[in-house]
Amino acid sequence: MTQTTDATAVAHARKGPRPARTRRRIHRAWFVAAVTFVTIIGAAAFRSLPGLLIDPLHQEYGWSRGTIGAAVSVNLALYGLTAPFAAALMDRFGIRRVVACALVVIALGSGLTVWMTAAWQLLLCWGLLVGLGSGSMALAFAATVTNRWFTERRGLVTGILTAASASGQLIFLPLLARIVDKHQWRPAAVTVALAALVVVPFVWLLLRDHPADVGLKPYGAKEFVPKPAPVPGAARRAVTVLFRAARTGPFWLLAGTFAICGASTNGLVQTHFVPAAHDHGMPVTAAASLLAVIGVFDVVGTIASGWFTDRFDARRLLAVYYALRGVSLLFLPMLLAPSVHPPMIFFIVFYGLDWVATVPPTVALCREHYGEDSAIVFGWVLASHQVGAALVAFLGGVARDVFGSYDVVWYASGALCAAAALMALVIRRRPAQATASLAAA
């Protein structure tokens, strides 16, 4: 009897831990998110380079800053305009194929700049090719992965994936600045090309298009979600979703606020901060290091923003973010100096926390209003972000040529951020039933 009891206890003891081990197993969605994070980090190298190219190209070829800024503008505009079509292409051909091809195009465009001799070649290589490649794996890529693989923690995951771009800036910007300072700009362009190529095998071998590909439910889902059939007519679908969303007020408010977001980050600070600081006597390597520090705090701010988005009203979060960003930009002209001092460090920390904190609440509002089409709608909203960035990248260079400084651009961007804060508060909340009806329309 005792032996039977002991055997039964042993059997139960053996059966007990197994469910616990199953519960502790990490869901495959987190591995997919990790691969996506690494991919965006690798691709972020090309976004670290434009601000470092303005002075070297101006000195070597005599091209005006407006001309160089035009190439950066084409790059930034295509980065946004390609995104919605890329999101639709991912629905048609799969995430892996689209992202792998995009990385190869980035490597090709960056590598070819080594042999350029005319300004139109800069427009072709850096503007067109790198712009198309980068746009195919922009934040719409992160939104697509999040929508497919997660039903819970979407705000947090969006924040983490958005922070990947800042992490790439942290890794590559000081390295590229040192290369440009010691070996001129061509080795830096080759470094960007190699960074993009290195990521391709990770994407192809480790990334999966949908949880159903490995027989899993999305993270947090209660039921298995079958993989949807490939959606033909990617371009037509992207345009159809645009026209459908354009009939709604929230789309224009989100697009307007995100255009100002792009103008005040990628277009202004990322493109012109280094040459603006250099105008005041600061070494290029020191200015690039400050941008890298922005990347450090951007990671913290964006992940925190994702956490906040899961818990608070996304509209109010956007209003706070834009208002604080505007205030910080108004103070920047008074802080630029030949050396790094405590007030400048405070600006870098403050601005870094707010750099792309706007992305998680913007994605959440797209999801709230546009349901299954939210990734493509966010692609179009991102297009407005990059159009705003492109305009300021170009106008900032023109302003420097005309006025001899960037001060007027800093002040104008601060005022625009105040307008974006007001626009965010105007966005209305949408009931869940209305969102489903719009997606089915």
Side-chain angles (χ1 to χ4, degrees):
M1 187 72 175
T2 303
Q3 292 178 348
T4 303
T5 303
D6 291 342
T8 303
V10 171
H12 283 298
R14 288 176 178 174
K15 291 178 182 179
R18 291 180 182 177
R21 282 199 298 269
T22 302
R23 288 194 296 270
R24 287 197 297 268
R25 183 177 299 166
I26 299 175
H27 195 283
R28 180 65 176 269
W30 293 107
F31 290 104
V32 172
V35 174
T36 304
F37 186 90
V38 172
T39 302
I40 297 174
I41 284 179
F46 62 82
R47 299 189 65 192
S48 303
L49 194 56
L52 303 176
L53 290 179
I54 292 177
D55 284 337
L57 292 177
H58 174 69
Q59 293 170 6
E60 180 171 340
Y61 296 107
W63 300 337
S64 70
R65 290 176 176 82
T67 299
I68 301 169
V72 178
S73 295
V74 172
N75 177 291
L76 293 172
L78 286 176
Y79 178 87
L81 294 172
T82 306
F85 296 97
L89 284 172
M90 289 176 188
D91 289 339
R92 175 67 179 88
F93 298 105
I95 298 174
R96 284 197 305 170
R97 293 178 181 177
V98 173
V99 174
C101 290
L103 287 167
V104 172
V105 171
I106 289 170
L108 180 65
S110 183
L112 288 176
T113 58
V114 173
W115 292 283
M116 68 182 179
T117 57
W120 68 265
Q121 294 168 347
L122 179 65
L123 285 167
L124 174 64
C125 295
W126 199 260
L128 181 63
L129 292 179
V130 177
L132 288 174
S134 61
S136 297
M137 47 179 304
L139 293 175
F141 167 43
T144 301
V145 170
T146 304
N147 289 346
R148 290 188 183 184
W149 282 88
F150 293 86
T151 57
E152 293 182 355
R153 303 291 187 268
R154 281 177 166 174
L156 177 63
V157 175
T158 302
I160 292 173
L161 295 182
T162 303
S165 181
S167 301
Q169 176 177 291
L170 167 65
I171 294 170
F172 287 106
L173 191 55
L175 172 64
L176 294 174
R178 186 172 183 82
I179 292 173
V180 170
D181 186 52
K182 300 294 184 181
H183 307 288
Q184 299 302 316
W185 63 270
R186 286 180 177 83
V190 173
T191 302
V192 170
L194 292 177
L197 288 177
V198 165
V199 182
V200 174
F202 289 93
V203 171
W204 193 256
L205 296 175
L206 301 177
L207 194 62
R208 291 294 178 267
D209 293 329
H210 196 278
D213 289 341
V214 289
L216 293 175
K217 299 181 292 185
Y219 179 81
K222 296 181 180 179
E223 297 180 356
F224 182 81
V225 178
K227 183 178 181 179
V231 181
R236 183 175 64 252
R237 185 184 176 210
V239 174
T240 300
V241 170
L242 170 63
F243 282 113
R244 187 185 304 155
R247 297 199 301 265
T248 66
F251 173 79
W252 293 106
L253 290 170
L254 288 169
T257 55
F258 225 41
I260 295 172
C261 178
S264 56
T265 53
N266 302 88
L268 182 60
V269 174
Q270 190 167 41
T271 303
H272 295 292
F273 178 81
V274 171
H278 190 56
D279 284 347
H280 286 76
M282 184 180 294
V284 171
T285 51
S289 297
L290 288 176
L291 271 186
V293 174
I294 285 180
V296 175
F297 289 95
D298 180 21
V299 173
V300 177
T302 307
I303 294 175
S305 177
W307 188 86
F308 290 144
T309 301
D310 287 331
R311 290 161 175 80
F312 301 105
D313 188 342
R315 300 168 304 158
R316 294 181 180 179
L317 288 176
L318 284 179
V320 171
Y321 296 156
Y322 285 121
L324 293 176
R325 183 184 300 177
V327 170
S328 66
L329 286 173
L330 292 176
F331 280 98
L332 181 58
M334 296 178 283
L335 303 178
L336 292 170
S339 60
V340 179
H341 48 86
M344 173 58 78
I345 295 175
F346 179 79
F347 167 82
I348 293 297
V349 173
F350 188 85
Y351 191 84
L353 291 171
D354 198 356
W355 178 270
V356 286
T358 55
V359 173
T362 301
V363 172
L365 288 169
C366 287
R367 190 181 300 120
E368 175 185 322
H369 285 271
Y370 304 106
E372 294 180 358
D373 290 332
S374 60
I376 297 177
V377 173
F378 178 69
W380 285 114
V381 172
L382 179 62
S384 71
H385 180 282
Q386 295 309 116
V387 169
L391 285 173
V392 171
F394 171 67
L395 294 176
V398 172
R400 172 61 178 80
D401 290 334
V402 173
F403 299 108
S405 75
Y406 288 99
D407 288 359
V408 66
V409 188
W410 304 124
Y411 294 134
S413 295
L416 285 174
C417 288
L422 295 175
M423 292 167 65
L425 292 175
V426 176
I427 301 172
R428 294 182 179 180
R429 299 190 65 87
R430 189 177 188 87
Q433 285 184 334
T435 302
S437 300
L438 181 66

